[in-house]
Amino acid sequence: MQEEKRYNNTVWYRHGDYAFKVNLLGGNSIVWINFKGYNLAFPMIIREFLYEMEEYNYFRVMVNCD
């Protein structure tokens, strides 16, 4: 993993198609991960939400995990 830049408490790294942004806040680290310019966390959050809605039968959902 190669460090690209630093600014205050934020460090940017790159490894192949992955980009990482690490922000240090009072002893905790917040990490953002991008793959080929796409945020990986957002689809994971939406997928989890849809699974929970389907599990509790709030409404009928079809989830395509491709």
Side-chain angles (χ1 to χ4, degrees):
M1 193 170 348
Q2 179 182 3
E3 183 178 318
E4 289 193 324
K5 65 180 177 177
R6 263 180 206 265
Y7 181 74
N8 292 334
N9 292 334
T10 305
V11 183
W12 287 265
Y13 297 98
R14 180 163 301 280
H15 181 75
D17 290 332
Y18 292 91
F20 303 89
K21 176 180 164 187
V22 181
N23 195 344
L24 304 173
L25 295 174
N28 295 319
S29 297
I30 300 173
V31 179
W32 289 267
I33 303 172
N34 285 319
F35 177 71
K36 294 184 178 181
Y38 295 100
N39 182 342
L40 295 179
F42 184 73
M44 291 171 30
I45 291 168
I46 293 300
R47 204 170 281 149
E48 179 65 25
F49 170 75
L50 292 174
Y51 282 142
E52 284 192 28
M53 293 299 108
E54 188 176 48
E55 181 178 325
Y56 293 111
N57 294 320
Y58 290 127
F59 53 90
R60 181 86 174 120
V61 175
M62 297 291 293
V63 178
N64 181 352
C65 296
D66 293 337

Short mmCIF file of all heavy atoms in Angstrom, two decimals:
data_model
loop_
_atom_site.label_atom_id
_atom_site.label_comp_id
_atom_site.label_asym_id
_atom_site.label_seq_id
_atom_site.Cartn_x
_atom_site.Cartn_y
_atom_site.Cartn_z
N MET A 1 0.86 -1.16 0.00
CA MET A 1 0.00 0.00 0.00
C MET A 1 0.90 1.23 0.00
O MET A 1 1.85 1.31 0.76
CB MET A 1 -0.91 -0.02 1.22
CG MET A 1 -2.00 0.95 1.12
SD MET A 1 -3.34 0.90 2.34
CE MET A 1 -3.21 -0.57 3.22
N GLN A 2 0.55 2.18 -0.85
CA GLN A 2 1.38 3.37 -1.01
C GLN A 2 0.62 4.60 -0.49
O GLN A 2 -0.53 4.83 -0.84
CB GLN A 2 1.72 3.55 -2.48
CG GLN A 2 2.53 4.76 -2.77
CD GLN A 2 2.79 4.89 -4.27
OE1 GLN A 2 2.29 4.10 -5.07
NE2 GLN A 2 3.55 5.90 -4.64
N GLU A 3 1.29 5.37 0.34
CA GLU A 3 0.69 6.61 0.84
C GLU A 3 0.74 7.65 -0.27
O GLU A 3 1.78 7.90 -0.86
CB GLU A 3 1.44 7.10 2.07
CG GLU A 3 0.85 8.33 2.68
CD GLU A 3 1.58 8.77 3.93
OE1 GLU A 3 1.93 7.91 4.76
OE2 GLU A 3 1.79 9.98 4.07
N GLU A 4 -0.41 8.28 -0.53
CA GLU A 4 -0.46 9.29 -1.58
C GLU A 4 -0.29 10.70 -1.04
O GLU A 4 0.45 11.49 -1.59
CB GLU A 4 -1.77 9.20 -2.35
CG GLU A 4 -1.86 7.99 -3.23
CD GLU A 4 -3.01 8.10 -4.20
OE1 GLU A 4 -4.08 8.65 -3.85
OE2 GLU A 4 -2.84 7.63 -5.33
N LYS A 5 -1.03 11.02 0.03
CA LYS A 5 -0.88 12.36 0.61
C LYS A 5 -1.39 12.37 2.04
O LYS A 5 -2.06 11.45 2.49
CB LYS A 5 -1.59 13.41 -0.23
CG LYS A 5 -3.10 13.26 -0.29
CD LYS A 5 -3.70 14.36 -1.16
CE LYS A 5 -5.19 14.18 -1.29
NZ LYS A 5 -5.81 15.24 -2.07
N ARG A 6 -1.06 13.45 2.74
CA ARG A 6 -1.49 13.68 4.12
C ARG A 6 -1.96 15.11 4.24
O ARG A 6 -1.35 16.01 3.70
CB ARG A 6 -0.30 13.53 5.07
CG ARG A 6 -0.16 12.23 5.71
CD ARG A 6 1.07 12.23 6.63
NE ARG A 6 1.51 10.88 6.75
CZ ARG A 6 1.16 10.09 7.73
NH1 ARG A 6 0.40 10.55 8.68
NH2 ARG A 6 1.55 8.84 7.76
N TYR A 7 -3.05 15.28 4.99
CA TYR A 7 -3.52 16.63 5.29
C TYR A 7 -4.17 16.59 6.67
O TYR A 7 -5.15 15.87 6.87
CB TYR A 7 -4.51 17.11 4.23
CG TYR A 7 -5.02 18.50 4.48
CD1 TYR A 7 -4.20 19.60 4.26
CD2 TYR A 7 -6.29 18.71 4.98
CE1 TYR A 7 -4.65 20.88 4.50
CE2 TYR A 7 -6.76 19.99 5.24
CZ TYR A 7 -5.93 21.07 5.00
OH TYR A 7 -6.37 22.34 5.26
N ASN A 8 -3.63 17.34 7.60
CA ASN A 8 -4.09 17.34 9.00
C ASN A 8 -4.18 15.91 9.53
O ASN A 8 -3.17 15.22 9.58
CB ASN A 8 -5.42 18.07 9.14
CG ASN A 8 -5.29 19.56 8.89
OD1 ASN A 8 -4.22 20.13 9.08
ND2 ASN A 8 -6.35 20.18 8.46
N ASN A 9 -5.35 15.45 9.90
CA ASN A 9 -5.53 14.10 10.46
C ASN A 9 -6.01 13.10 9.42
O ASN A 9 -6.54 12.05 9.77
CB ASN A 9 -6.53 14.13 11.62
CG ASN A 9 -5.99 14.88 12.81
OD1 ASN A 9 -4.79 14.97 12.99
ND2 ASN A 9 -6.88 15.43 13.61
N THR A 10 -5.85 13.39 8.14
CA THR A 10 -6.33 12.52 7.08
C THR A 10 -5.17 12.04 6.21
O THR A 10 -4.31 12.83 5.83
CB THR A 10 -7.36 13.26 6.19
OG1 THR A 10 -8.39 13.76 7.03
CG2 THR A 10 -7.97 12.33 5.17
N VAL A 11 -5.17 10.73 5.93
CA VAL A 11 -4.13 10.14 5.08
C VAL A 11 -4.82 9.35 3.97
O VAL A 11 -5.78 8.64 4.21
CB VAL A 11 -3.22 9.18 5.89
CG1 VAL A 11 -2.10 8.64 5.02
CG2 VAL A 11 -2.66 9.86 7.12
N TRP A 12 -4.33 9.53 2.73
CA TRP A 12 -4.85 8.81 1.57
C TRP A 12 -3.84 7.76 1.14
O TRP A 12 -2.64 8.06 1.03
CB TRP A 12 -5.11 9.76 0.40
CG TRP A 12 -6.29 10.63 0.58
CD1 TRP A 12 -7.56 10.42 0.14
CD2 TRP A 12 -6.34 11.90 1.25
NE1 TRP A 12 -8.39 11.45 0.48
CE2 TRP A 12 -7.67 12.38 1.17
CE3 TRP A 12 -5.39 12.67 1.94
CZ2 TRP A 12 -8.06 13.59 1.72
CZ3 TRP A 12 -5.78 13.87 2.49
CH2 TRP A 12 -7.11 14.31 2.38
N TYR A 13 -4.32 6.54 0.89
CA TYR A 13 -3.47 5.43 0.44
C TYR A 13 -4.04 4.88 -0.87
O TYR A 13 -5.22 5.02 -1.14
CB TYR A 13 -3.46 4.29 1.45
CG TYR A 13 -2.88 4.65 2.79
CD1 TYR A 13 -3.70 4.99 3.85
CD2 TYR A 13 -1.51 4.61 3.02
CE1 TYR A 13 -3.19 5.31 5.09
CE2 TYR A 13 -0.98 4.93 4.25
CZ TYR A 13 -1.83 5.28 5.29
OH TYR A 13 -1.31 5.59 6.51
N ARG A 14 -3.19 4.22 -1.64
CA ARG A 14 -3.63 3.54 -2.86
C ARG A 14 -2.93 2.20 -2.95
O ARG A 14 -1.76 2.07 -2.63
CB ARG A 14 -3.31 4.37 -4.09
CG ARG A 14 -3.77 3.68 -5.36
CD ARG A 14 -3.84 4.61 -6.54
NE ARG A 14 -4.72 5.74 -6.38
CZ ARG A 14 -6.06 5.71 -6.52
NH1 ARG A 14 -6.65 4.58 -6.79
NH2 ARG A 14 -6.77 6.79 -6.38
N HIS A 15 -3.70 1.19 -3.38
CA HIS A 15 -3.16 -0.14 -3.63
C HIS A 15 -3.89 -0.71 -4.84
O HIS A 15 -5.05 -1.15 -4.72
CB HIS A 15 -3.33 -1.05 -2.41
CG HIS A 15 -2.78 -2.42 -2.60
ND1 HIS A 15 -1.43 -2.67 -2.59
CD2 HIS A 15 -3.39 -3.60 -2.84
CE1 HIS A 15 -1.24 -3.96 -2.79
NE2 HIS A 15 -2.43 -4.54 -2.95
N GLY A 16 -3.27 -0.67 -5.99
CA GLY A 16 -3.92 -1.15 -7.21
C GLY A 16 -5.16 -0.34 -7.52
O GLY A 16 -5.12 0.88 -7.62
N ASP A 17 -6.30 -1.02 -7.64
CA ASP A 17 -7.57 -0.36 -7.93
C ASP A 17 -8.26 0.19 -6.68
O ASP A 17 -9.31 0.81 -6.78
CB ASP A 17 -8.52 -1.33 -8.63
CG ASP A 17 -8.07 -1.67 -10.04
OD1 ASP A 17 -7.39 -0.82 -10.66
OD2 ASP A 17 -8.39 -2.77 -10.51
N TYR A 18 -7.69 -0.06 -5.52
CA TYR A 18 -8.30 0.37 -4.26
C TYR A 18 -7.70 1.70 -3.80
O TYR A 18 -6.50 1.92 -3.91
CB TYR A 18 -8.07 -0.67 -3.15
CG TYR A 18 -8.80 -1.95 -3.37
CD1 TYR A 18 -8.21 -3.01 -4.04
CD2 TYR A 18 -10.10 -2.11 -2.91
CE1 TYR A 18 -8.89 -4.20 -4.26
CE2 TYR A 18 -10.78 -3.30 -3.12
CZ TYR A 18 -10.17 -4.33 -3.79
OH TYR A 18 -10.84 -5.49 -3.99
N ALA A 19 -8.56 2.55 -3.25
CA ALA A 19 -8.12 3.80 -2.63
C ALA A 19 -8.71 3.84 -1.22
O ALA A 19 -9.87 3.49 -1.01
CB ALA A 19 -8.59 5.00 -3.43
N PHE A 20 -7.89 4.22 -0.27
CA PHE A 20 -8.30 4.28 1.14
C PHE A 20 -8.08 5.68 1.67
O PHE A 20 -7.05 6.28 1.40
CB PHE A 20 -7.47 3.32 2.00
CG PHE A 20 -7.52 1.90 1.55
CD1 PHE A 20 -6.61 1.43 0.62
CD2 PHE A 20 -8.46 1.04 2.05
CE1 PHE A 20 -6.63 0.12 0.20
CE2 PHE A 20 -8.50 -0.27 1.63
CZ PHE A 20 -7.59 -0.73 0.71
N LYS A 21 -9.04 6.18 2.41
CA LYS A 21 -8.91 7.46 3.09
C LYS A 21 -9.10 7.17 4.57
O LYS A 21 -10.12 6.61 4.98
CB LYS A 21 -9.97 8.44 2.60
CG LYS A 21 -9.98 9.76 3.31
CD LYS A 21 -11.09 10.63 2.73
CE LYS A 21 -11.39 11.79 3.63
NZ LYS A 21 -12.56 12.55 3.17
N VAL A 22 -8.11 7.51 5.37
CA VAL A 22 -8.15 7.24 6.81
C VAL A 22 -8.15 8.57 7.54
O VAL A 22 -7.25 9.39 7.37
CB VAL A 22 -6.95 6.39 7.27
CG1 VAL A 22 -7.04 6.10 8.75
CG2 VAL A 22 -6.86 5.10 6.47
N ASN A 23 -9.17 8.79 8.36
CA ASN A 23 -9.30 10.01 9.13
C ASN A 23 -9.20 9.65 10.61
O ASN A 23 -9.96 8.82 11.10
CB ASN A 23 -10.65 10.67 8.82
CG ASN A 23 -10.71 12.10 9.28
OD1 ASN A 23 -9.90 12.53 10.07
ND2 ASN A 23 -11.69 12.82 8.78
N LEU A 24 -8.27 10.27 11.32
CA LEU A 24 -8.07 10.00 12.74
C LEU A 24 -8.84 11.03 13.56
O LEU A 24 -8.60 12.22 13.44
CB LEU A 24 -6.59 10.06 13.08
CG LEU A 24 -5.69 9.13 12.27
CD1 LEU A 24 -4.23 9.41 12.58
CD2 LEU A 24 -6.04 7.70 12.56
N LEU A 25 -9.76 10.54 14.38
CA LEU A 25 -10.58 11.42 15.21
C LEU A 25 -10.53 10.97 16.66
O LEU A 25 -11.14 9.99 17.04
CB LEU A 25 -12.05 11.40 14.75
CG LEU A 25 -12.34 11.96 13.37
CD1 LEU A 25 -13.79 11.73 13.00
CD2 LEU A 25 -12.03 13.44 13.34
N GLY A 26 -9.77 11.67 17.47
CA GLY A 26 -9.73 11.40 18.90
C GLY A 26 -9.45 9.96 19.27
O GLY A 26 -10.15 9.39 20.08
N GLY A 27 -8.46 9.33 18.68
CA GLY A 27 -8.12 7.96 18.99
C GLY A 27 -8.85 6.92 18.17
O GLY A 27 -8.55 5.74 18.24
N ASN A 28 -9.85 7.32 17.41
CA ASN A 28 -10.58 6.41 16.51
C ASN A 28 -10.19 6.70 15.07
O ASN A 28 -9.84 7.82 14.73
CB ASN A 28 -12.09 6.58 16.66
CG ASN A 28 -12.56 6.17 18.02
OD1 ASN A 28 -12.11 5.18 18.57
ND2 ASN A 28 -13.49 6.93 18.57
N SER A 29 -10.29 5.69 14.24
CA SER A 29 -10.01 5.85 12.82
C SER A 29 -11.28 5.59 12.01
O SER A 29 -11.98 4.62 12.25
CB SER A 29 -8.93 4.86 12.37
OG SER A 29 -7.72 5.12 13.02
N ILE A 30 -11.54 6.46 11.06
CA ILE A 30 -12.65 6.28 10.13
C ILE A 30 -12.02 6.00 8.78
O ILE A 30 -11.16 6.74 8.32
CB ILE A 30 -13.53 7.53 10.07
CG1 ILE A 30 -14.11 7.82 11.44
CG2 ILE A 30 -14.64 7.35 9.03
CD1 ILE A 30 -14.86 9.13 11.53
N VAL A 31 -12.45 4.90 8.14
CA VAL A 31 -11.84 4.47 6.88
C VAL A 31 -12.89 4.47 5.78
O VAL A 31 -13.97 3.92 5.94
CB VAL A 31 -11.23 3.07 7.01
CG1 VAL A 31 -10.62 2.62 5.70
CG2 VAL A 31 -10.19 3.03 8.12
N TRP A 32 -12.58 5.12 4.66
CA TRP A 32 -13.39 5.07 3.45
C TRP A 32 -12.64 4.23 2.45
O TRP A 32 -11.44 4.37 2.27
CB TRP A 32 -13.59 6.47 2.85
CG TRP A 32 -14.49 7.35 3.64
CD1 TRP A 32 -15.84 7.51 3.46
CD2 TRP A 32 -14.15 8.22 4.71
NE1 TRP A 32 -16.35 8.41 4.35
CE2 TRP A 32 -15.31 8.87 5.14
CE3 TRP A 32 -12.96 8.51 5.38
CZ2 TRP A 32 -15.33 9.78 6.17
CZ3 TRP A 32 -12.97 9.42 6.41
CH2 TRP A 32 -14.14 10.04 6.79
N ILE A 33 -13.35 3.34 1.75
CA ILE A 33 -12.72 2.46 0.77
C ILE A 33 -13.43 2.65 -0.57
O ILE A 33 -14.65 2.60 -0.64
CB ILE A 33 -12.83 0.98 1.19
CG1 ILE A 33 -12.20 0.78 2.56
CG2 ILE A 33 -12.18 0.09 0.15
CD1 ILE A 33 -12.43 -0.59 3.13
N ASN A 34 -12.64 2.86 -1.62
CA ASN A 34 -13.15 2.94 -2.98
C ASN A 34 -12.49 1.87 -3.82
O ASN A 34 -11.30 1.59 -3.65
CB ASN A 34 -12.86 4.30 -3.60
CG ASN A 34 -13.75 5.38 -3.07
OD1 ASN A 34 -14.94 5.16 -2.89
ND2 ASN A 34 -13.19 6.53 -2.80
N PHE A 35 -13.25 1.27 -4.71
CA PHE A 35 -12.72 0.31 -5.67
C PHE A 35 -13.06 0.80 -7.06
O PHE A 35 -14.24 0.92 -7.40
CB PHE A 35 -13.31 -1.08 -5.42
CG PHE A 35 -12.87 -2.11 -6.42
CD1 PHE A 35 -11.57 -2.57 -6.40
CD2 PHE A 35 -13.73 -2.60 -7.37
CE1 PHE A 35 -11.14 -3.52 -7.31
CE2 PHE A 35 -13.32 -3.54 -8.28
CZ PHE A 35 -12.02 -4.01 -8.26
N LYS A 36 -12.06 1.12 -7.82
CA LYS A 36 -12.23 1.65 -9.17
C LYS A 36 -13.17 2.84 -9.19
O LYS A 36 -14.02 2.99 -10.07
CB LYS A 36 -12.73 0.57 -10.13
CG LYS A 36 -11.74 -0.54 -10.35
CD LYS A 36 -12.25 -1.53 -11.37
CE LYS A 36 -11.21 -2.61 -11.60
NZ LYS A 36 -11.65 -3.59 -12.61
N GLY A 37 -13.06 3.71 -8.18
CA GLY A 37 -13.87 4.92 -8.12
C GLY A 37 -15.25 4.74 -7.51
O GLY A 37 -16.03 5.68 -7.43
N TYR A 38 -15.59 3.54 -7.06
CA TYR A 38 -16.91 3.27 -6.47
C TYR A 38 -16.78 3.08 -4.97
O TYR A 38 -15.91 2.35 -4.50
CB TYR A 38 -17.55 2.02 -7.08
CG TYR A 38 -17.86 2.18 -8.55
CD1 TYR A 38 -17.02 1.65 -9.50
CD2 TYR A 38 -18.99 2.88 -8.95
CE1 TYR A 38 -17.30 1.81 -10.86
CE2 TYR A 38 -19.28 3.04 -10.29
CZ TYR A 38 -18.43 2.51 -11.24
OH TYR A 38 -18.70 2.66 -12.57
N ASN A 39 -17.68 3.69 -4.22
CA ASN A 39 -17.72 3.55 -2.78
C ASN A 39 -18.29 2.17 -2.43
O ASN A 39 -19.43 1.86 -2.79
CB ASN A 39 -18.59 4.65 -2.18
CG ASN A 39 -18.64 4.62 -0.67
OD1 ASN A 39 -18.33 3.62 -0.05
ND2 ASN A 39 -19.03 5.73 -0.10
N LEU A 40 -17.53 1.34 -1.74
CA LEU A 40 -17.98 -0.02 -1.41
C LEU A 40 -19.00 -0.05 -0.28
O LEU A 40 -19.81 -0.97 -0.20
CB LEU A 40 -16.78 -0.88 -1.03
CG LEU A 40 -15.77 -1.14 -2.13
CD1 LEU A 40 -14.63 -1.99 -1.60
CD2 LEU A 40 -16.42 -1.82 -3.30
N ALA A 41 -18.98 0.92 0.61
CA ALA A 41 -19.85 0.87 1.79
C ALA A 41 -21.32 1.09 1.45
O ALA A 41 -22.19 0.44 2.01
CB ALA A 41 -19.40 1.90 2.82
N PHE A 42 -21.61 1.99 0.52
CA PHE A 42 -23.01 2.31 0.24
C PHE A 42 -23.81 1.11 -0.24
O PHE A 42 -24.88 0.83 0.31
CB PHE A 42 -23.10 3.46 -0.77
CG PHE A 42 -24.51 3.88 -1.03
CD1 PHE A 42 -25.22 4.59 -0.07
CD2 PHE A 42 -25.12 3.57 -2.21
CE1 PHE A 42 -26.53 4.97 -0.29
CE2 PHE A 42 -26.43 3.95 -2.45
CZ PHE A 42 -27.14 4.65 -1.49
N PRO A 43 -23.32 0.34 -1.24
CA PRO A 43 -24.09 -0.85 -1.64
C PRO A 43 -24.25 -1.86 -0.51
O PRO A 43 -25.29 -2.52 -0.41
CB PRO A 43 -23.27 -1.45 -2.79
CG PRO A 43 -22.40 -0.36 -3.28
CD PRO A 43 -22.17 0.54 -2.12
N MET A 44 -23.26 -1.98 0.36
CA MET A 44 -23.36 -2.93 1.48
C MET A 44 -24.44 -2.48 2.46
O MET A 44 -25.20 -3.31 2.97
CB MET A 44 -22.01 -3.06 2.17
CG MET A 44 -20.99 -3.77 1.31
SD MET A 44 -19.28 -3.78 1.88
CE MET A 44 -19.34 -3.74 3.61
N ILE A 45 -24.52 -1.18 2.73
CA ILE A 45 -25.54 -0.66 3.65
C ILE A 45 -26.93 -0.87 3.07
O ILE A 45 -27.85 -1.32 3.76
CB ILE A 45 -25.28 0.84 3.93
CG1 ILE A 45 -24.00 0.99 4.75
CG2 ILE A 45 -26.46 1.47 4.63
CD1 ILE A 45 -23.50 2.40 4.84
N ILE A 46 -27.12 -0.55 1.78
CA ILE A 46 -28.42 -0.72 1.14
C ILE A 46 -28.81 -2.19 1.13
O ILE A 46 -29.96 -2.54 1.42
CB ILE A 46 -28.40 -0.16 -0.30
CG1 ILE A 46 -28.24 1.35 -0.25
CG2 ILE A 46 -29.65 -0.55 -1.07
CD1 ILE A 46 -29.35 2.08 0.47
N ARG A 47 -27.89 -3.08 0.82
CA ARG A 47 -28.18 -4.51 0.78
C ARG A 47 -28.63 -5.01 2.15
O ARG A 47 -29.60 -5.75 2.27
CB ARG A 47 -26.92 -5.26 0.32
CG ARG A 47 -27.22 -6.57 -0.29
CD ARG A 47 -26.00 -7.17 -0.94
NE ARG A 47 -25.77 -6.55 -2.24
CZ ARG A 47 -24.57 -6.38 -2.78
NH1 ARG A 47 -23.51 -6.78 -2.17
NH2 ARG A 47 -24.46 -5.83 -3.96
N GLU A 48 -27.95 -4.58 3.21
CA GLU A 48 -28.32 -4.98 4.57
C GLU A 48 -29.72 -4.47 4.92
O GLU A 48 -30.54 -5.19 5.50
CB GLU A 48 -27.29 -4.46 5.58
CG GLU A 48 -27.60 -4.81 7.00
CD GLU A 48 -27.54 -6.31 7.29
OE1 GLU A 48 -26.84 -7.04 6.57
OE2 GLU A 48 -28.21 -6.75 8.23
N PHE A 49 -30.01 -3.24 4.56
CA PHE A 49 -31.34 -2.67 4.80
C PHE A 49 -32.42 -3.50 4.10
O PHE A 49 -33.44 -3.84 4.70
CB PHE A 49 -31.38 -1.22 4.32
CG PHE A 49 -32.76 -0.63 4.31
CD1 PHE A 49 -33.37 -0.25 5.49
CD2 PHE A 49 -33.44 -0.47 3.12
CE1 PHE A 49 -34.65 0.28 5.49
CE2 PHE A 49 -34.71 0.07 3.10
CZ PHE A 49 -35.31 0.44 4.28
N LEU A 50 -32.19 -3.84 2.83
CA LEU A 50 -33.19 -4.62 2.09
C LEU A 50 -33.37 -6.01 2.68
O LEU A 50 -34.50 -6.51 2.75
CB LEU A 50 -32.78 -4.71 0.62
CG LEU A 50 -32.85 -3.40 -0.15
CD1 LEU A 50 -32.30 -3.59 -1.55
CD2 LEU A 50 -34.25 -2.84 -0.18
N TYR A 51 -32.29 -6.64 3.13
CA TYR A 51 -32.41 -7.95 3.77
C TYR A 51 -33.27 -7.86 5.04
O TYR A 51 -34.09 -8.72 5.29
CB TYR A 51 -31.03 -8.51 4.13
CG TYR A 51 -30.28 -9.11 2.97
CD1 TYR A 51 -28.91 -8.95 2.88
CD2 TYR A 51 -30.91 -9.85 1.99
CE1 TYR A 51 -28.19 -9.50 1.83
CE2 TYR A 51 -30.21 -10.40 0.93
CZ TYR A 51 -28.85 -10.22 0.86
OH TYR A 51 -28.15 -10.76 -0.18
N GLU A 52 -33.06 -6.81 5.83
CA GLU A 52 -33.84 -6.67 7.07
C GLU A 52 -35.31 -6.43 6.76
O GLU A 52 -36.18 -6.97 7.44
CB GLU A 52 -33.28 -5.55 7.92
CG GLU A 52 -32.00 -5.94 8.62
CD GLU A 52 -31.59 -4.96 9.69
OE1 GLU A 52 -32.48 -4.29 10.26
OE2 GLU A 52 -30.39 -4.87 9.94
N MET A 53 -35.59 -5.62 5.76
CA MET A 53 -36.98 -5.37 5.40
C MET A 53 -37.66 -6.66 4.94
O MET A 53 -38.80 -6.94 5.30
CB MET A 53 -37.08 -4.33 4.28
CG MET A 53 -36.65 -2.94 4.66
SD MET A 53 -37.65 -2.24 5.98
CE MET A 53 -36.50 -2.28 7.34
N GLU A 54 -36.95 -7.46 4.17
CA GLU A 54 -37.51 -8.73 3.70
C GLU A 54 -37.70 -9.70 4.86
O GLU A 54 -38.70 -10.39 4.95
CB GLU A 54 -36.59 -9.33 2.65
CG GLU A 54 -37.17 -10.54 1.97
CD GLU A 54 -36.26 -11.06 0.87
OE1 GLU A 54 -35.05 -11.21 1.14
OE2 GLU A 54 -36.75 -11.28 -0.23
N GLU A 55 -36.73 -9.75 5.77
CA GLU A 55 -36.79 -10.67 6.91
C GLU A 55 -37.99 -10.38 7.80
O GLU A 55 -38.65 -11.30 8.29
CB GLU A 55 -35.50 -10.57 7.72
CG GLU A 55 -35.45 -11.51 8.90
CD GLU A 55 -34.14 -11.41 9.65
OE1 GLU A 55 -33.10 -11.19 9.02
OE2 GLU A 55 -34.17 -11.53 10.89
N TYR A 56 -38.30 -9.12 8.03
CA TYR A 56 -39.41 -8.76 8.91
C TYR A 56 -40.72 -8.57 8.16
O TYR A 56 -41.70 -8.10 8.73
CB TYR A 56 -39.06 -7.50 9.70
CG TYR A 56 -37.94 -7.74 10.67
CD1 TYR A 56 -36.70 -7.16 10.49
CD2 TYR A 56 -38.11 -8.59 11.77
CE1 TYR A 56 -35.65 -7.40 11.36
CE2 TYR A 56 -37.07 -8.84 12.64
CZ TYR A 56 -35.85 -8.24 12.44
OH TYR A 56 -34.83 -8.47 13.31
N ASN A 57 -40.72 -8.93 6.86
CA ASN A 57 -41.93 -8.87 6.04
C ASN A 57 -42.59 -7.50 6.02
O ASN A 57 -43.81 -7.39 6.00
CB ASN A 57 -42.95 -9.93 6.49
CG ASN A 57 -42.43 -11.31 6.24
OD1 ASN A 57 -41.82 -11.58 5.21
ND2 ASN A 57 -42.67 -12.20 7.19
N TYR A 58 -41.78 -6.44 6.06
CA TYR A 58 -42.34 -5.10 5.95
C TYR A 58 -42.87 -4.86 4.54
O TYR A 58 -43.89 -4.24 4.35
CB TYR A 58 -41.31 -4.03 6.29
CG TYR A 58 -40.95 -4.00 7.75
CD1 TYR A 58 -39.65 -4.06 8.17
CD2 TYR A 58 -41.95 -3.90 8.73
CE1 TYR A 58 -39.31 -4.03 9.51
CE2 TYR A 58 -41.63 -3.87 10.07
CZ TYR A 58 -40.31 -3.93 10.45
OH TYR A 58 -39.98 -3.90 11.77
N PHE A 59 -42.15 -5.33 3.55
CA PHE A 59 -42.62 -5.30 2.17
C PHE A 59 -41.83 -6.32 1.38
O PHE A 59 -40.77 -6.75 1.77
CB PHE A 59 -42.53 -3.91 1.54
CG PHE A 59 -41.17 -3.27 1.65
CD1 PHE A 59 -40.22 -3.47 0.66
CD2 PHE A 59 -40.87 -2.44 2.70
CE1 PHE A 59 -38.97 -2.88 0.75
CE2 PHE A 59 -39.61 -1.84 2.78
CZ PHE A 59 -38.68 -2.06 1.80
N ARG A 60 -42.39 -6.72 0.25
CA ARG A 60 -41.76 -7.75 -0.58
C ARG A 60 -40.58 -7.13 -1.32
O ARG A 60 -40.71 -6.14 -2.01
CB ARG A 60 -42.78 -8.29 -1.57
CG ARG A 60 -42.24 -9.37 -2.45
CD ARG A 60 -42.37 -10.73 -1.74
NE ARG A 60 -41.97 -11.78 -2.68
CZ ARG A 60 -40.96 -12.60 -2.44
NH1 ARG A 60 -40.29 -12.51 -1.32
NH2 ARG A 60 -40.63 -13.49 -3.32
N VAL A 61 -39.40 -7.76 -1.16
CA VAL A 61 -38.18 -7.24 -1.77
C VAL A 61 -37.46 -8.37 -2.49
O VAL A 61 -37.38 -9.48 -1.99
CB VAL A 61 -37.25 -6.68 -0.66
CG1 VAL A 61 -35.92 -6.25 -1.25
CG2 VAL A 61 -37.90 -5.53 0.07
N MET A 62 -36.94 -8.07 -3.64
CA MET A 62 -36.06 -8.99 -4.36
C MET A 62 -34.68 -8.36 -4.34
O MET A 62 -34.52 -7.21 -4.76
CB MET A 62 -36.53 -9.18 -5.79
CG MET A 62 -37.89 -9.81 -5.93
SD MET A 62 -37.94 -11.53 -5.45
CE MET A 62 -36.95 -12.26 -6.72
N VAL A 63 -33.68 -9.09 -3.86
CA VAL A 63 -32.33 -8.58 -3.75
C VAL A 63 -31.44 -9.33 -4.73
O VAL A 63 -31.35 -10.54 -4.69
CB VAL A 63 -31.77 -8.72 -2.32
CG1 VAL A 63 -30.35 -8.23 -2.25
CG2 VAL A 63 -32.67 -7.98 -1.33
N ASN A 64 -30.78 -8.58 -5.60
CA ASN A 64 -29.81 -9.14 -6.54
C ASN A 64 -28.44 -8.72 -6.07
O ASN A 64 -28.12 -7.53 -6.05
CB ASN A 64 -30.07 -8.62 -7.95
CG ASN A 64 -29.12 -9.20 -8.96
OD1 ASN A 64 -28.17 -9.89 -8.60
ND2 ASN A 64 -29.37 -8.92 -10.22
N CYS A 65 -27.63 -9.65 -5.61
CA CYS A 65 -26.33 -9.35 -5.01
C CYS A 65 -25.18 -9.34 -6.01
O CYS A 65 -24.02 -9.41 -5.62
CB CYS A 65 -26.03 -10.33 -3.88
SG CYS A 65 -27.19 -10.19 -2.53
N ASP A 66 -25.47 -9.29 -7.30
CA ASP A 66 -24.41 -9.27 -8.31
C ASP A 66 -23.67 -7.94 -8.29
O ASP A 66 -24.21 -6.92 -8.09
CB ASP A 66 -24.98 -9.50 -9.70
CG ASP A 66 -25.51 -10.92 -9.82
OD1 ASP A 66 -25.07 -11.78 -9.05
OD2 ASP A 66 -26.39 -11.13 -10.69
#
